[in-house]
Amino acid sequence: MLFNSSPLRVVTLLALSGDAYAFFRIGCSRILDGRVDSIISPGKVSGHVHTLVGSANIGVSSTYDTLVNSECTSCEIQDDRSAYWSPQLYYQYGNGSVMEVPHDGSVLYYIARGAGQTPMTAFPEGLKMLSGDAAARSYDNKTMTFNNKTFGGRPVADRISWACLSTKPARETPGFSNFICPYGLRAQVHFQSCWDGVNLYKSDQSHVAYLSQIDNGVCPPTYPVLLPHLFIETSYATKNVAVEPNGFYTLAQGDPTGYGYHADFQNGWKPGVLQDAIDECFIADSSGDVGTCAPLNVSQISNTAYQCPRRPQVIAENVYGLLPKLPGCNQISWGPARAPTTNNTCPTSVAVPAILPTADTKPIATQIPTISSAFGNTGWRYKGCYNDTGNARALSVYNQQNVADLTIEKCQRTCQGRGMKFSGVELGNQCWCDNYIMNNARAIGEGRANCNFKCSGDSTENCGGAAQLSIFENVLAVTPAPVVVQSLSGKYLYKGCQKEGTSSRALTGAKQAADTMTVDACAKICLGLKFRWMGVEYGRECYCGNSLNSGGTAPATECNMRCMGNTNKTAMYCGGSSRLNVYYSSSL
Ligand SMILES: *[C@@H]1O[C@H](CO)[C@@H](O)[C@H](O)[C@H]1NC(C)=O
Ligand SMILES: *[C@@H]1O[C@H](CO)[C@@H](O)[C@H](O)[C@H]1NC(C)=O
Ligand SMILES: *[C@@H]1O[C@H](CO)[C@@H](O)[C@H](O)[C@H]1NC(C)=O
Ligand SMILES: *[C@@H]1O[C@H](CO)[C@@H](O)[C@H](O)[C@H]1NC(C)=O
Ligand SMILES: *[C@@H]1O[C@H](CO)[C@@H](O)[C@H](O)[C@H]1NC(C)=O
Ligand SMILES: *[C@@H]1O[C@H](CO)[C@@H](O)[C@H](O)[C@H]1NC(C)=O
Ligand SMILES: *[C@@H]1O[C@H](CO)[C@@H](O)[C@H](O)[C@H]1NC(C)=O
């Protein structure tokens, strides 16, 4: 996500008051893709594919009430259940097939513009609006915003632009350019900031108007209510799609020029929150950080793509990857004239794909397990949230990653089926199994910020987090006995679990420590240096010497740390805390 970009690069001519540059920005991941547009095509399959961010239950029939009641939003601020969408970008090959250019995150900028004239008012409940013109195929420099002698206007077409992201500063153009954009192509759209104060929606968008300078200036007199200025950047990962000599980018409605970019906003802010944020957080030296805005940070989450992941499609139609053509009936129109409506209307003979129910319409409580209590399948208990940041993984014998339908129960089954006692879920979509928890793993607590990613297969369960494992233990499973290696390389023979020396280390000839340590690895080191004694300690340390200054023999159970380099089902032991598994060679 592009949190570093500034919304201020569009030159502003008027700074009407000291707080003209105050803003906050909200990062979003995508929540849905498909021919969904509850504003333009309510209750129906829309004409072209959109990529949507925001409220998790956005569907073809969404209203303010359904949005506000969704389970979560894929934008950082959970009290903003609005939905924001724009056309999907495709790349059309010379042979006519099209490839999805993946949505790569959106950033919403809420900006205090046009301030100093009237108080700024939050979006009213139920407000919907669309900015841009899907049929445009060239830059219209004639249609101007509201202007008069004091306040100059600007071409309305400036509401949209494209930024090419490369190593050079972003280059902006009103349509697609032929620049190479390895870091992505970013669509940018300004919304109307002036409201007539009466209508929540009119299909010709005449209920709202642009500021005289679009991103600043004054409202027309017939639009007396100043709204926060909404500016959205949406990035498309152009690097994922190799270009071809006869290929070109096209928006989902058949626009290969980029001038037809547009975006929709359907308000779903919880009552009062946006107004509080406007009143308290639009301050002059704002860095745009929502984390410092008290009305917003109470509902801020990070890692939206995991905590409120993308929803299953609500239109039964594939819109991802390589497709034979643009979904729907969208013919390419090169312009410069506006695209005729006949070029994106389906004949009645074309079958309309089914509309599926949205996944959630009501908030669903997350089931939070408590430590030591039963959770999931028979015999399994919750052990806790553990860190998994080290080179040696907390559970390491078996794992599955990018599991699309992961649940805690599914991972428990997977591990049980492989004869293992511990199962751990991580990053929402990974399952890890082992018979032992690696000695370096730490229980990091059950706080709100820990192990809070939704399971990819069940949004009512949490499956760990980033480098965090929710670990479960099957108390009915028998742990295989730890294995102490008795003989190594035909040279060293096991001499028991020994205490560290009291005044000096037990073995002082040479030492090494690594997360990849095994008994074998230590034997190679000491053998290479021709030391008679070797010992492994603390799961990851190797000591060699020609004499052993042990603090005495210790019970075998005190050499209870697993070798961190050992990632197979049989746990090899490498000493313990101040305890060494010691080996001796009589032939050296
Ligand atoms: C069209 O070209 C693309 C890219 O070269 C290729 O991946 C795709 O398979 C081709 N489609 C057909 C139907 O041949
Ligand atoms: C508008 O665009 C046309 C065609 O490119 C150009 O000739 C004209 O000078 C432009 N007008 C303004 C006011 O920029
Ligand atoms: C221009 O419009 C603004 C906003 O409606 C208004 O306050 C101002 O008086 C107008 N100026 C002129 C010269 O008409
Ligand atoms: C939220 O913002 C307020 C005001 O800046 C700050 O005092 C508070 O510590 C923030 N809370 C969090 C959880 O970041
Ligand atoms: C409409 O689509 C057809 C088929 O792709 C194309 O040949 C034609 O130029 C399009 N019309 C316009 C005005 O762009
Ligand atoms: C857990 O964190 C500690 C540091 O706090 C680190 O030394 C250890 O390697 C980590 N363990 C795992 C399994 O990530
Ligand atoms: C398990 O790992 C240890 C140490 O890396 C190795 O000696 C042993 O042969 C391995 N066992 C199996 C079954 O792979």
Side-chain angles (χ1 to χ4, degrees), residues 117 146-151 212 217-223:
Q117 307 160 79
F146 165 77
N147 60 88
N148 64 21
K149 286 215 169 66
T150 322
F151 297 97
S212 54
V218 293
C219 283
T222 46
Y223 294 84

Side-chain angles (χ1 to χ4, degrees), residues 52 90 162 303 333 336 340 367 408 469-470 487 494 532 560 583:
L52 301 92
Y90 288 94
W162 291 90
N303 302 103
S333 288
Q367 312 171 52
I408 289 168
L469 267 176
S470 312
S487 162
Y494 186 52
R532 245 174 276 155
N560 58 2
Y583 296 81

Side-chain angles (χ1 to χ4, degrees), residues 145-490:
T145 55
F146 165 77
N147 60 88
N148 64 21
K149 286 215 169 66
T150 322
F151 297 97
R154 188 174 174 189
V156 168
D158 287 351
R159 61 195 167 183
I160 66 135
S161 57
W162 291 90
C164 172
L165 306 180
S166 66
T167 50
K168 302 197 184 88
R171 287 186 284 183
E172 296 194 356
T173 47
F176 294 148
S177 61
N178 56 5
F179 307 145
I180 308 290
C181 315
Y183 299 156
L185 194 52
R186 189 172 70 206
Q188 310 175 143
V189 58
H190 292 279
F191 278 85
Q192 299 88 330
S193 306
C194 309
W195 180 41
D196 69 8
V198 179
N199 299 291
L200 295 172
Y201 185 67
K202 281 174 124 183
S203 58
D204 63 357
Q205 310 304 319
S206 63
H207 60 310
V208 284
Y210 296 95
L211 288 166
S212 54
Q213 283 293 311
I214 298 181
D215 66 343
N216 215 336
V218 293
C219 283
T222 46
Y223 294 84
V225 181
L226 179 69
L227 304 171
H229 183 69
L230 174 60
F231 173 70
I232 304 180
E233 295 178 340
T234 295
S235 296
Y236 298 96
T238 44
K239 67 173 187 315
N240 291 26
V241 180
V243 300
E244 281 188 354
N246 294 320
F248 54 86
Y249 291 106
T250 175
L251 288 169
Q253 78 271 31
D255 171 19
T257 69
Y259 294 107
Y261 188 71
H262 56 283
D264 297 62
F265 166 72
Q266 185 166 3
N267 184 26
W269 278 90
K270 292 199 173 168
V273 177
L274 181 57
Q275 190 64 54
D276 288 348
I278 290 169
D279 296 343
E280 293 175 37
C281 308
F282 276 171
I283 47 171
D285 60 352
S286 149
S287 61
D289 177 7
V290 278
T292 61
C293 175
L296 301 182
N297 70 15
V298 290
S299 74
Q300 185 179 12
I301 63 165
S302 54
N303 302 103
T304 54
Y306 293 104
Q307 293 198 50
C308 188
R310 192 168 64 179
R311 301 289 123 156
Q313 283 182 250
V314 303
I315 305 295
E317 172 179 69
N318 183 25
V319 297
Y320 297 118
L322 184 68
L323 303 171
K325 65 177 188 63
L326 293 173
C329 304
N330 295 285
Q331 308 290 334
I332 300 294
S333 288
W334 285 96
R338 296 180 84 247
T341 50
T342 48
N343 262 20
N344 48 35
T345 316
C346 278
T348 47
S349 58
V350 173
V352 180
I355 299 174
L356 310 169
T358 51
D360 67 292
T361 49
K362 280 243 157 63
I364 307 166
T366 305
Q367 312 171 52
I368 308 284
T370 40
I371 291 181
S372 302
S373 58
F375 194 96
N377 302 337
T378 310
W380 289 88
R381 300 223 171 133
Y382 183 52
K383 189 90 182 131
C385 180
Y386 282 71
N387 75 330
D388 200 15
T389 48
N391 294 333
R393 306 298 301 236
L395 303 178
S396 62
V397 172
Y398 178 77
N399 72 78
Q400 294 175 338
Q401 304 196 17
N402 294 314
V403 184
D405 56 351
L406 187 68
T407 64
I408 289 168
E409 291 79 0
K410 186 176 168 153
C411 183
Q412 290 173 344
R413 260 194 310 280
T414 300
C415 297
Q416 199 161 351
R418 289 176 179 265
M420 277 174 279
K421 190 177 174 62
F422 291 103
S423 74
V425 281
E426 183 168 339
L427 202 67
N429 61 17
Q430 300 181 349
C431 172
W432 297 78
C433 310
D434 209 325
N435 268 317
Y436 304 86
I437 301 175
M438 196 61 88
N439 7 290
N440 68 334
R442 307 269 172 275
I444 56 172
E446 307 301 308
R448 184 169 159 254
N450 291 343
C451 288
N452 62 357
F453 284 14
K454 304 275 182 211
C455 299
S456 58
D458 183 349
S459 62
T460 72
E461 290 182 347
N462 285 342
C463 279
Q468 297 176 347
L469 267 176
S470 312
I471 297 186
F472 296 83
E473 177 180 7
N474 184 355
V475 293
L476 304 178
V478 179
T479 314
V483 176
V484 175
V485 182
Q486 297 294 334
S487 162
L488 281 155
S489 316

